[in-house]
Amino acid sequence: MDIKTDLFADNKELFLIIQLLRFQWHKEAGLKSLIAELARDPGFDWKEFLRLVRFHKVYTYVYSTIKELKCFPETTAARLKKLNIDNSEKALVITAELKAVNRLLGGGGISFTVLKGQPLSMSLYGNTARRSSRDIDLLVDSDDLEKIMELFAGNYICMSDSNIPLKYIESYSDHLVYKNKTTDVFVEVHWKLMNYNYLMPGFTEAARRRIMRIGVAGTELNALSFHDHLFYCLMHGIKHCWLRLFWLVDVAEFCRKDEFVLTELFELGEKYGVSVALGSGLLLCNQLFAVPRLEESCKTRLLKNRTVNRLYAMFLTQIAAGKIRIKPDSPYIKQMKRKAGLVYKDCLLKRDFCYLTEVMKDRKST
């Protein structure tokens, strides 16, 4: 029994994007023929195709496949090429910014870890421009926040409300957003890997103890260890209902690496009480991209779980929408917030909290 993906049946443009992404890992003759057939369809909306490619931030992957297959309109290929050139230029700017941040914080004796971004692009693809990044995400120790705010005061504009006393920022928020006054590059300074301390307690501290070093343009930077980074990327994508497909592409690429051990990932899920959420993300990746390989017993167990099925349907709906669709005020999400203790007498404990809380903690019901 497989969860259906019929939601994409009438969306030829999104269906083609998924097949193009799939072709990265499965260069099968049948898949190549299917892609060529879709590309020849006279009713195909190439404008919508390009919009979805931009929205899901997958133009680098799609363009590499289009160049290889050479069965697409020249105008579409030219536009994708332009998007890739723009992305490469942006990657150079972000690389320079990352090195500047390293000098700034390193000079102040502050250690930090880079989340996702260019270290992840290097470790997965060996290329800083392969992933589309618009900002830099740093994980720091909360004890260094005051000093970081002082160091950033010179060249950066704080886009967050920094007038709140620091003790409240530290307790009730999870990151601050800065923008370089000159380059306009955004830098997010995180001191938690999850928005709330009760979600996966201890993971941030444990991940900091297992960091690895990754070289980016001649600079060695701290990054999360392989399985910690994959675990974090899965939970990040899940809490955003896989709004962008390129997050799921990263997960698929992780799962193809020699270092990938499925049992080690599931051990992290068990330890931090998010096995169901983790399984839903892996199942989605498996169904769309046939990566990772899941044994039938594992797949059957996941498919019998009602929460997994509900989440899977919501993920597909969000992906198919091709826009920000999941709203924070739906009756179902309100109900889950109350169950999780995030709402007290109709007061939301965090104003911009819009995630599905049941994806973060395992439930007893199946």
Side-chain angles (χ1 to χ4, degrees):
M1 173 184 175
D2 282 339
I3 295 181
K4 301 297 183 183
T5 55
D6 294 342
L7 199 60
F8 303 145
D10 297 326
N11 191 335
K12 292 182 289 187
E13 293 74 28
L14 180 59
F15 184 68
L16 176 57
I17 289 170
I18 290 172
Q19 303 317 309
L20 288 167
L21 294 173
R22 234 180 129 104
F23 192 76
Q24 292 182 103
W25 309 294
H26 311 288
K27 298 185 183 299
E28 302 162 352
L31 184 54
K32 183 177 179 179
S33 298
L34 174 60
I35 290 171
E37 181 183 347
L38 288 165
R40 289 194 301 266
D41 186 341
F44 196 87
D45 188 342
W46 291 105
K47 183 177 180 180
E48 173 65 5
F49 172 81
L50 287 168
R51 186 193 72 80
L52 288 170
V53 166
R54 287 193 299 269
F55 178 82
H56 286 292
K57 300 175 74 172
V58 292
Y59 30 82
T60 59
Y61 316 103
V62 167
Y63 181 57
S64 65
T65 304
I66 281 179
K67 283 195 302 180
E68 183 178 346
L69 297 183
K70 298 178 181 178
C71 60
F72 289 78
E74 290 184 7
T75 53
T76 300
R79 289 175 184 171
L80 285 167
K81 182 178 181 179
K82 178 63 165 57
L83 286 172
N84 276 264
I85 291 171
D86 292 346
N87 184 67
S88 295
E89 292 174 351
K90 184 169 63 175
L92 289 173
V93 173
I94 291 179
T95 298
E97 186 71 32
L98 192 51
K99 296 176 81 169
V101 168
N102 187 51
R103 289 192 297 270
L104 177 66
L105 297 187
I110 295 172
S111 177
F112 65 89
T113 300
V114 185
L115 305 174
K116 302 190 285 8
Q118 296 198 325
L120 181 60
S121 192
M122 284 299 298
S123 64
L124 291 183
Y125 309 104
N127 182 350
T128 58
R130 184 63 165 172
R131 297 181 77 255
S132 175
S133 297
R134 70 175 185 87
D135 57 15
I136 295 170
D137 290 275
L138 309 178
L139 176 66
V140 304
D141 192 310
S142 59
D143 291 341
D144 291 327
L145 275 179
E146 187 171 10
K147 190 170 184 180
I148 290 171
M149 293 169 78
E150 292 173 359
L151 290 171
F152 273 37
N155 297 325
Y156 295 83
I157 302 169
C158 185
M159 310 301 288
S160 306
D161 188 353
S162 57
N163 294 320
I164 301 171
L166 181 58
K167 65 179 181 179
Y168 294 117
I169 293 176
E170 182 182 340
S171 298
Y172 298 111
S173 188
D174 65 303
H175 74 283
L176 292 170
V177 180
Y178 288 90
K179 184 175 78 167
N180 188 300
K181 296 176 182 177
T182 305
T183 64
D184 288 337
V185 173
F186 285 87
V187 179
E188 293 191 1
V189 179
H190 299 253
W191 51 97
K192 302 171 188 171
L193 284 172
M194 301 305 298
N195 300 68
Y196 293 89
N197 286 327
Y198 83 93
L199 297 173
M200 303 192 306
F203 176 57
T204 299
E205 293 73 23
R208 277 207 195 96
R209 294 192 295 269
R210 295 190 290 257
I211 59 171
M212 58 188 292
R213 302 283 284 174
I214 293 178
V216 176
T219 301
E220 291 287 315
L221 298 167
N222 291 334
L224 298 179
S225 67
F226 182 88
H227 286 93
D228 283 346
H229 220 156
L230 172 54
F231 184 61
Y232 172 70
C233 286
L234 275 160
M235 300 312 295
H236 175 265
I238 289 164
K239 76 178 183 180
H240 289 297
C241 287
W242 300 106
L243 176 66
R244 316 280 185 189
L245 269 175
F246 89 115
W247 295 330
L248 204 60
V249 172
D250 285 341
V251 169
E253 193 63 31
F254 262 114
C255 295
R256 290 184 66 251
K257 297 295 182 183
D258 292 339
E259 303 98 308
F260 174 66
V261 180
L262 184 60
T263 54
E264 190 167 336
L265 190 62
F266 277 131
E267 284 172 7
L268 285 172
E270 288 287 341
K271 181 175 182 178
Y272 296 108
V274 290
S275 296
V276 172
L278 200 67
S280 70
L282 290 171
L283 184 65
L284 176 69
C285 196
N286 170 272
Q287 296 288 285
L288 294 187
F289 302 140
V291 179
R293 294 182 181 275
L294 297 176
E295 293 182 1
E296 285 304 313
S297 58
C298 176
K299 203 181 287 190
T300 301
R301 175 172 52 82
L302 289 170
L303 291 169
K304 286 182 177 179
N305 188 291
R306 286 184 297 179
T307 301
V308 168
N309 279 270
R310 182 188 293 144
L311 291 174
Y312 188 93
M314 296 178 94
F315 297 158
L316 291 182
T317 300
Q318 176 64 81
I319 292 169
K323 59 184 178 181
I324 298 175
R325 182 182 185 281
I326 300 297
K327 300 296 183 182
D329 54 353
S330 73
Y332 174 69
I333 296 175
K334 280 184 177 179
Q335 179 187 15
M336 296 314 302
K337 286 175 181 175
R338 289 191 174 91
K339 286 183 178 180
L342 293 172
V343 176
Y344 177 70
K345 294 183 177 178
D346 294 326
C347 289
L348 192 58
L349 301 185
K350 183 175 173 63
R351 179 170 53 97
D352 61 351
F353 185 83
C354 60
Y355 309 134
L356 304 175
T357 58
E358 94 276 15
V359 309
M360 295 302 174
K361 298 299 288 183
D362 288 343
R363 301 285 169 180
K364 291 182 179 180
S365 62
T366 58

